[in-house]
Amino acid sequence: MTADSAPQSQPQPTGYACIQKYVKTLDSSPGVYRMLDADSRVLYVGKARNLRARVSNYTRPGHSGRIERMIASTASMMFLTTRTETEALLLEQNLIKQLKPKYNVLLRDDKSFPNILVAKDHPFPQIKKHRGAKKEKGAYFGPFASAGAVNRTLNQLQKAFLLRNCSDSMFDSRTRPCLLYQIKRCSGPCVGMISQADYAESVRDAERFLSGRSTRIQEELAAQMQEASDAMEFERAAALRDRIRALTQVQTAQGINPRGVAEADVIGLYMDSGQACVQVFFIRANQNWGNRDFYPRVGPDVSPAEVMEAFLGQFYDNKEPPRQLILSDAIENADLMQQALSEKAGRKVEILVPQRGEKLELVSGALRNAREALARRMSESATQAKLLRGLAEAFDLDAPPNRIEVYDNSHIQGTNAVGAMIVAGPEGFMKNAYRKFNIRGDDLTPGDDFGMMKEVLSRRFTRLLKEDPDRDKGLWPDLLLIDGGAGQVSAVHEIMQAHGVEDIPMVGVAKGVDRDHGKEEFHRIGQRPFALKRNDPVLYFIQRLRDEAHRFAIGTHRAKRAKAMGATPLDEIPGVGAARKRALLAHFGSAKAVSRANLADLKAVDGISAGLAQKVYDFFHEKG
């Protein structure tokens, strides 16, 4: 792969003239091109089978309004040539995700999806939820659309197969069955209530069920239940009956269970008024494992084919594609996309746009869900826009805010103090923009809310001034909401002045008389506090913002406190990571026992070398 760009000249032409100048320097190689504005911001990233032919298309008039605006803003271009068009497609999608160009279709919500993992690194395998890289040894089943879908399935699988979900260290430390055994959610392998062979059979049944062979398992369980009943073993028969019911509940909750589609993602796209919703149903082992909706950023004149192709490229950039992609809309480069995804998966990936039969029914269901989800979102957006206009009117803002930042602190008598920032805008809460701040100030008095807020705001705006000094990346707030009264607002104002930022409105939200919900008072610099009517929708909106900031701050504080409670002196020893810490605790039972161990005992622990054993021994010896 080679990089290329045309020589610059002064003054630099823009628009059609700029692009025409680059066309003269290009050859017919496949590759990726970038269009940049006068400030070198990337406007668009595209791929081409033939760079010269593709870029020359931009020199001819007759484009849509969106493309005409993009061409008019183009002041320079960059090019990367590739060996094949498939390589160009993959590179294009990587660059789009990294650079987020203004005129590309963008997939804004691209989180990983959870799986069910049957871990195989223990004689009695554990069944659990897994998200992220598949590094653990075991069998993975998924993806599921959400953590909730995984939890519901795991809950029923525990009832049906009685597999453990406890950690290995907890398993090894048990001396009597836990509550899950008592309520018939686990077979009690930790204390020998089931043999390893019988437990392994239950694991195989669970894997067969997750692989789509559920009917056979239910038939076998029904036969066993009848045998138990005939033998007057009514308690065992009742337990088998409960397991059959649990499996039936999993299948009922899954809803759609197509017979003719074993492994596929069903993708429906609906567009309306310059907005788009993509609905994805995950079909694995002939079972529906949930659906998720996405709202890519599109323009008013983007075609469904362009949106669908951009979605596929970006969605599967960090995910393994299934064997089939069943689409509601055809894409222009279906063969190319199919080849790229097949190379990524290491097996054939088929792209289909069905015209009849069960696959068409699946797509129609996805399309209906996409249409309904987009209608709900557009309705919510209209309501949100009205609330933002009301907020601007209530606080005398020049325009409805596009970005509201709300700040809060959380601590217990000054310990494990954290600051939190949540963000809201025209589309509601922007959770990918939330930030947490571990309070570092050593000179702060425990419980000093003013001091904590000063530290949080100082760090926030110091970083903003560094990352976006020209305020052109959409990172700067249009309004600050502070949990507190006149004192907090005054402290924040001082911080802003110290950083040379005095043009951002800020409002303190105080509890008001008797700290009553609904009697909030609002404080601004140089103005008297005021309140809104109790039934004002803007007041409810502000309460939601403040409550969300409070929820996020408390959640962050609890996580920090839980981590601190789980900390041990072993965390301070260089070379002792999570795995070796677990090995030491599993072997000795506690950090205190590790501190008392002699060198020979430390060396006997699996995974602990002689050198590391010496470090551990010296650490506790030096500490006395």
Side-chain angles (χ1 to χ4, degrees):
M1 192 181 294
T2 59
D4 183 29
S5 61
Q8 301 291 314
S9 60
Q10 297 293 335
Q12 176 71 18
T14 59
Y16 286 104
C18 169
I19 298 172
Q20 183 64 55
K21 171 187 166 187
Y22 282 98
V23 170
K24 297 175 183 178
T25 70
L26 295 174
D27 58 22
S28 58
S29 301
V32 173
Y33 58 93
R34 279 176 275 183
M35 308 174 87
L36 294 82
D37 65 12
D39 296 322
S40 297
R41 290 174 296 199
V42 179
L43 298 171
Y44 185 78
V45 174
K47 67 177 181 310
R49 178 184 291 112
N50 181 322
L51 278 171
R52 181 181 178 87
R54 182 73 185 90
V55 175
S56 65
N57 286 338
Y58 292 109
T59 64
R60 308 182 188 102
H63 300 284
S64 66
R66 177 178 66 102
I67 301 301
E68 288 289 352
R69 291 191 297 274
M70 180 182 75
I71 291 172
S73 301
T74 300
S76 62
M77 296 186 72
M78 296 179 66
F79 305 91
L80 283 164
T81 60
T82 58
R83 294 186 295 270
T84 65
E85 190 181 2
T86 302
E87 192 175 301
L89 172 65
L90 296 174
L91 178 60
E92 175 201 34
Q93 299 306 329
N94 282 333
L95 289 174
I96 289 172
K97 290 183 72 172
Q98 291 175 21
L99 302 173
K100 297 179 172 53
K102 179 178 179 180
Y103 289 97
N104 281 99
V105 175
L106 290 182
L107 175 59
R108 292 178 286 192
D109 180 11
D110 189 27
K111 298 177 183 177
S112 62
F113 293 93
N115 291 266
I116 286 178
L117 168 62
V118 180
K120 297 292 183 67
D121 54 356
H122 193 279
F124 292 92
Q126 171 194 15
I127 186 167
K128 61 181 178 179
K129 178 173 63 180
H130 177 88
R131 192 190 290 269
K134 298 178 180 179
K135 296 180 179 179
E136 290 188 58
K137 181 181 178 183
Y140 292 86
F141 301 92
F144 286 79
S146 65
V150 172
N151 292 336
R152 286 191 295 273
T153 303
L154 283 174
N155 186 38
Q156 297 303 326
L157 287 176
Q158 279 184 273
K159 292 180 182 178
F161 301 109
L162 309 181
L163 302 183
R164 73 178 182 94
N165 65 355
C166 59
S167 66
D168 291 349
S169 59
M170 182 177 289
F171 180 95
D172 294 335
S173 65
R174 296 298 305 182
T175 57
R176 60 180 180 176
C178 66
L179 179 62
L180 289 177
Y181 175 80
Q182 306 296 338
I183 62 174
K184 298 185 172 71
R185 296 288 184 87
C186 180
S187 53
C190 55
V191 290
M193 294 297 184
I194 185 174
S195 68
Q196 187 173 337
D198 289 343
Y199 188 87
E201 183 62 31
S202 296
V203 170
R204 282 193 292 272
D205 284 345
E207 291 178 339
R208 284 160 61 201
F209 177 81
L210 290 168
S211 299
R213 298 191 289 276
S214 57
T215 304
R216 183 178 171 187
I217 295 171
Q218 285 170 296
E219 290 173 353
E220 291 175 358
L221 290 175
Q224 292 175 29
M225 181 179 68
Q226 187 61 49
E227 289 175 7
S229 178
D230 293 342
M232 304 237 178
E233 297 177 4
F234 298 119
E235 187 174 347
R236 179 166 170 263
L240 289 165
R241 178 203 61 200
D242 293 342
R243 294 177 67 181
I244 294 171
R245 283 180 180 173
L247 291 178
T248 304
Q249 285 178 2
V250 175
Q251 294 165 329
T252 302
Q254 287 166 347
I256 304 168
N257 293 302
R259 294 183 178 181
V261 180
E263 180 183 328
D265 285 350
V266 182
I267 304 175
L269 166 65
Y270 184 77
M271 299 178 65
D272 185 20
S273 305
Q275 297 188 53
C277 176
V278 178
Q279 191 81 206
V280 183
F281 280 79
F282 302 97
I283 308 296
R284 299 294 185 274
N286 297 97
Q287 301 172 54
N288 172 25
W289 283 354
N291 61 296
R292 177 79 73 87
D293 49 339
F294 300 88
Y295 301 90
R297 190 191 75 188
V298 300
D301 52 3
V302 179
S303 69
E306 184 179 351
V307 176
M308 184 65 81
E309 182 170 329
F311 177 83
L312 294 181
Q314 295 174 50
F315 185 70
Y316 293 108
D317 177 60
N318 61 350
K319 301 176 185 67
E320 182 178 339
R323 297 184 184 278
Q324 286 187 337
L325 303 181
I326 304 175
L327 313 181
S328 63
D329 296 86
I331 61 176
E332 293 181 4
N333 301 288
D335 292 343
L336 182 63
M337 181 66 71
Q338 195 166 280
Q339 181 182 349
L341 294 177
S342 296
E343 290 181 5
K344 176 180 177 63
R347 52 174 166 72
K348 183 179 180 181
V349 175
E350 187 178 12
I351 295 179
L352 305 173
V353 183
Q355 303 301 315
R356 64 181 67 85
E358 185 181 38
K359 292 184 175 68
L360 179 59
E361 292 178 11
L362 291 172
V363 165
S364 298
L367 197 57
R368 182 179 64 256
N369 277 270
R371 181 175 63 250
E372 293 171 355
L374 184 60
R376 288 193 299 270
R377 184 179 177 90
M378 291 173 71
S379 175
E380 291 167 1
S381 296
T383 304
Q384 186 79 357
K386 185 177 179 180
L387 289 172
L388 292 175
R389 289 195 297 271
L391 194 67
E393 184 178 341
F395 295 148
D396 297 324
L397 306 180
D398 295 333
N402 284 316
R403 183 183 175 105
I404 305 168
E405 293 186 357
V406 191
Y407 293 86
D408 195 9
N409 298 323
S410 183
H411 59 91
I412 293 179
Q413 296 181 344
T415 63
N416 300 308
V418 296
M421 176 190 84
I422 65 118
V423 184
E427 296 181 355
F429 292 119
M430 301 160 60
K431 295 195 175 184
N432 60 341
Y434 286 16
R435 295 292 181 268
K436 57 186 178 182
F437 303 83
N438 288 316
I439 303 300
R440 303 171 183 160
D442 296 329
D443 56 342
L444 289 179
T445 303
D448 181 3
D449 286 329
F450 288 154
M452 285 189 280
M453 187 60 68
K454 283 185 177 182
E455 179 179 332
V456 168
L457 269 296
S458 292
R459 287 163 57 184
R460 168 65 180 151
F461 282 91
T462 298
R463 184 164 185 169
L464 263 184
L465 289 165
K466 181 180 179 181
E467 293 183 349
D468 189 13
D470 299 324
R471 303 193 187 187
D472 56 6
K473 297 180 181 178
L475 302 178
W476 284 74
D478 302 309
L479 173 67
L480 297 183
L481 289 182
I482 310 299
D483 185 28
Q488 278 88 345
V489 172
S490 177
V492 171
H493 182 61
E494 290 178 11
I495 290 295
M496 306 292 275
Q497 282 186 319
H499 287 82
V501 179
E502 300 186 44
D503 58 340
I504 297 179
M506 65 189 75
V507 177
V509 184
K511 290 289 194 302
V513 180
D514 299 326
R515 301 182 67 81
D516 187 8
H517 208 63
K519 294 184 179 180
E520 284 82 358
E521 290 184 344
F522 302 100
H523 298 261
R524 292 178 293 175
I525 292 295
Q527 298 186 33
R528 296 185 64 180
F530 70 99
L532 295 172
K533 294 181 180 178
R534 276 189 92 103
N535 61 350
D536 193 330
V538 174
L539 175 60
Y540 296 145
F541 179 50
I542 294 170
Q543 289 172 349
R544 278 175 49 216
L545 293 174
R546 185 195 59 197
D547 291 346
E548 173 68 2
H550 194 52
R551 178 201 65 79
F552 185 59
I554 288 177
T556 303
H557 165 72
R558 285 175 177 165
K560 183 178 181 181
R561 192 176 68 202
K563 185 176 180 181
M565 289 172 67
T568 73
L570 299 175
D571 296 321
E572 303 174 31
I573 306 175
V576 177
R580 287 167 176 161
K581 176 182 171 183
R582 283 196 299 270
L584 287 166
L585 291 176
H587 186 90
F588 293 102
S590 68
K592 191 170 186 179
V594 175
S595 70
R596 293 172 175 172
N598 60 42
L599 188 57
D601 290 337
L602 290 169
K603 290 179 180 178
V605 179
D606 288 340
I608 304 297
S609 65
L612 185 57
Q614 187 68 54
K615 280 186 181 180
V616 174
Y617 181 81
D618 290 343
F619 176 83
F620 288 110
H621 181 72
E622 289 168 6
K623 293 235 171 193

